[in-house]
Amino acid sequence: PGRYKPQDVLAAHGLAESKSKAVALLRQKAVKRDGIVVEAGSDLVVASGESFVLSVGPKRFLRLTAG
């Protein structure tokens, strides 16, 4: 639970090669959380027990669950 920078999450979980490439993907509006575009400069706010899908393009995605 808490607030996370999306570029950190993308890089840490292998959806982007680096944080700078993750920022580029965010600027291109290629990153979605449960089908909604994640804006560059925003934070991912995650509540305890929450589960969501983070996707980059049509083929790369990850389900995350907060503890």
Side-chain angles (χ1 to χ4, degrees), residues 1 8-10 17 20 23 27-28 37 43-44 47-48 52 55 57-58 61-62 66:
D8 294 342
V9 176
L10 292 169
E17 295 175 18
S20 60
V23 170
R27 288 184 180 148
Q28 294 169 17
V37 172
D43 287 345
L44 293 174
S48 182
F52 62 92
S55 61
F61 58 90
L62 177 70

Side-chain angles (χ1 to χ4, degrees), residues 2 7 19 22 29 46 49:
Q7 60 267 27
K19 288 182 186 180
K29 301 190 184 299
V46 183

Side-chain angles (χ1 to χ4, degrees), residues 25-43:
L25 289 168
L26 288 161
R27 288 184 180 148
Q28 294 169 17
K29 301 190 184 299
V31 181
K32 295 182 180 179
R33 176 183 177 166
D34 289 335
I36 300 170
V37 172
V38 177
E39 297 293 333
S42 66
D43 287 345

